[in-house]
Amino acid sequence: MKIVDGRVVVCSPGRNFVTLKLVTDNGTHGLGDATLNGRELAVVSYLEDHVLPLLIGRDPRRIEDTWQYLYKGAYWRRGPVTMAAIGAVDMALWDIQGKALGVPVYQLLGGPSRDRVLVYGHASGRDIDETLRAVERYRELGYQAIRVQCGIPGLEGTYGVGRGDLYYEPAEPGLPPERRWSTERYLDFVPELFDRVRAEFGPEPLFLHDAHHRLTPIEAARLGKSLEPYRLFWLEDPVPAELQEGFRLIRQHTTTPLAVGEVFNTVYDCQQLIHEQLIDYIRTTVAHAGGISHLRKIASLAELYQVRTGCHGATDLSPVCLAAALHFDLSVHNFGIQEYMRHSKETDLVFPHEYTLEGGTMHPGDAPGLGVDIDEELAAQYPYQRAYLPLNRKLDGTMHSW
Ligand code: KDG
Ligand code: MG
């Protein structure tokens, strides 16, 4: 079998997506998600100008060899653009392999380790009352695990507060909007939020919270400690994780479980966090961490240290990535949880898929390959729209992490 054609489809059915399509000489095709939120066109160029010419004529069944060829062969290793491009090729090759053998990708990965995949939904509101109603809504839908974010009194546009019912999409068309931030107000407010959440919903639901890289290690330690009575499933991205040893300090002070990794691209970004057991969940995802092949290696390292997976699954990961993540989640032994944000109706129509959601759990389906396709004619009706994630400044105007 040979790859005879390849193209990159850029579309914006509600938000931007970059999709790689590889076509083989036996008439099958494979899809990979290469979306890098706010920097989409850099990956398009990487794929079109530097990767596709290398793939024509290659045997698509040589998945590991192609991964190494693109990683080692580039000389310039790692980084989000390179790894998103390699990730897309890898996903497409697993998709082709599954179709060629007539099996869903999870069967190629060792078969299912569980019946269904636990996912978490996103409840948010402008204030605590609105947030409690959003949590209630997810509970009614059967979700066992819910991320809870809330507007901070006195701050406009806090991270994680969605737009509309069950819908969250932070990227905005045009130039990036700027938000204001106060760590002091945030740290005072969040324990009150979870006090109200636990009082209303009792001990059973699993609650998560995302601090979105905004704290210092000692601030994160204080937050983790103050949230211990509310037994979070995890506290996500408490600090910017470039400084991996910063987690040692957080760990000395709190037993609140920690989850990190949505912006990581390779195992080297989380090696220390894993082998020192500084985190509990690794959140790297298929699209941004080199595809299914590399994510399995990260999961295998994590398994040795009792760290579980919790793949990033925001709306900027396309249905192709979500499908790939679900095959990975179903098969890998040390799976923890999968993030799930529903896509817009337009996105779901452009990417017809086999995966299903039921009672806060998902399944990738049993179609051969990844079980997701792209309607290219429909995609062409939604051209790329420049859009950026917001920026974040402290109250005095200093740039801060978004
Ligand atoms: O592209 C960035 C978003 O995907 C990110 O901000 C969402 O933090 C996020 C999450 O946990 O889903
Ligand atoms: Mg996050």
Side-chain angles (χ1 to χ4, degrees):
M1 206 188 336
K2 276 193 173 65
I3 298 169
V4 292
D5 192 15
R7 55 187 171 274
V8 183
V9 182
V10 182
C11 62
S12 193
R15 68 149 4 270
N16 290 320
F17 293 113
V18 176
T19 310
L20 174 68
K21 182 167 184 173
L22 297 179
V23 182
T24 68
D25 56 355
N26 71 355
T28 49
H29 67 268
L31 296 181
D33 177 21
T35 310
L36 189 61
N37 207 0
R39 298 293 184 272
E40 296 88 356
L41 301 184
V43 191
V44 176
S45 161
Y46 193 105
L47 283 167
E48 286 182 344
D49 297 331
H50 305 294
V51 172
L52 278 174
L54 303 175
L55 296 179
I56 305 304
R58 282 185 74 85
D59 183 341
R61 293 166 297 190
R62 298 189 65 171
I63 301 177
E64 179 64 22
D65 183 63
T66 301
W67 195 97
Q68 300 293 345
Y69 178 80
L70 295 175
Y71 184 82
K72 297 198 164 87
Y75 189 61
W76 310 105
R77 296 182 186 185
R78 305 167 64 188
V81 175
T82 297
M83 297 312 292
I86 295 178
V89 173
D90 187 78
M91 263 180 260
L93 297 187
W94 282 102
D95 193 18
I96 290 169
Q97 183 78 307
K99 286 174 179 166
L101 297 173
V103 293
V105 166
Y106 72 80
Q107 294 292 11
L108 302 176
L109 304 177
S113 286
R114 55 199 50 81
D115 301 331
R116 295 186 66 83
V117 169
L118 177 71
V119 301
Y120 66 91
H122 294 73
S124 66
R126 281 163 299 183
D127 56 30
I128 294 185
D129 287 330
E130 205 174 282
T131 305
L132 293 177
R133 298 292 65 85
V135 174
E136 191 175 28
R137 182 85 202 280
Y138 276 95
R139 289 295 283 160
E140 284 163 5
L141 290 170
Y143 280 80
Q144 302 151 54
I146 303 162
R147 188 183 89 163
V148 183
Q149 306 291 139
C150 183
I152 312 296
L155 295 182
E156 242 182 72
T158 311
Y159 167 78
V161 180
R163 289 186 234 155
D165 193 27
L166 300 176
Y167 190 63
Y168 172 76
E169 171 50 64
E172 290 187 27
L175 297 177
E178 299 204 357
R179 308 262 188 261
R180 291 287 160 157
W181 176 252
S182 159
T183 299
E184 294 73 20
R185 290 183 195 178
Y186 171 76
L187 288 178
D188 284 345
F189 175 73
V190 179
E192 185 190 335
L193 167 68
F194 280 95
D195 194 51
R196 294 273 309 276
V197 170
R198 273 287 174 223
E200 182 150 338
F201 297 97
E204 199 186 318
L206 308 173
F207 290 122
L208 303 84
H209 181 71
D210 189 352
H212 224 246
H213 325 267
R214 292 180 176 194
L215 307 176
T216 65
I218 200 68
E219 290 164 353
R222 174 182 150 197
L223 180 64
K225 204 167 177 173
S226 65
L227 293 177
E228 279 172 20
Y230 313 112
R231 296 185 301 96
L232 291 197
F233 183 87
W234 79 33
L235 172 62
E236 176 181 333
D237 286 337
V239 293
E242 288 97 329
L243 183 69
Q244 297 191 31
E245 54 268 48
F247 280 78
R248 289 188 193 135
L249 192 144
I250 310 175
R251 272 299 212 218
Q252 283 161 20
H253 292 283
T254 180
T255 57
T256 293
L258 302 175
V260 180
E262 66 183 43
V263 301
F264 293 171
N265 315 122
T266 68
V267 70
Y268 303 108
D269 298 326
C270 47
Q271 189 183 6
Q272 182 181 6
L273 293 174
I274 290 173
H275 81 71
E276 287 190 35
Q277 294 179 293
L278 299 176
I279 56 171
D280 301 281
Y281 296 91
I282 180 68
R283 283 185 35 73
T284 42
T285 196
V286 188
H288 298 141
I292 292 173
S293 299
H294 194 66
L295 213 63
R296 289 175 88 201
K297 292 180 186 179
I298 295 176
S300 296
L301 176 71
E303 186 182 350
L304 296 180
Y305 297 95
Q306 298 191 325
V307 173
R308 289 183 283 167
T309 67
C311 288
H312 185 207
T315 38
D316 47 295
L317 287 314
S318 89
V320 179
C321 179
L322 178 59
L326 291 170
H327 286 277
F328 167 83
D329 296 337
L330 196 69
S331 64
V332 74
H333 171 68
N334 53 324
F335 164 77
I337 200 165
Q338 169 68 47
E339 179 177 18
Y340 174 64
M341 282 184 196
R342 65 180 193 156
H343 287 110
S344 68
K345 204 166 14 121
E346 294 82 359
T347 298
D348 282 337
L349 288 171
V350 167
F351 296 96
H353 50 259
E354 295 290 321
Y355 56 75
T356 52
L357 169 73
E358 198 185 301
T361 65
M362 295 186 83
H363 191 281
D366 284 309
L370 292 175
V372 59
D373 213 338
I374 185 166
D375 179 338
E376 287 184 74
E377 262 176 44
L378 189 57
Q381 292 176 24
Y382 299 103
Y384 170 78
Q385 257 199 305
R386 187 175 306 286
Y388 286 97
L389 292 166
L391 304 179
N392 204 25
R393 291 185 186 275
K394 293 184 190 176
L395 294 181
D396 70 357
T398 310
M399 268 299 289
H400 196 57
S401 300
W402 176 65

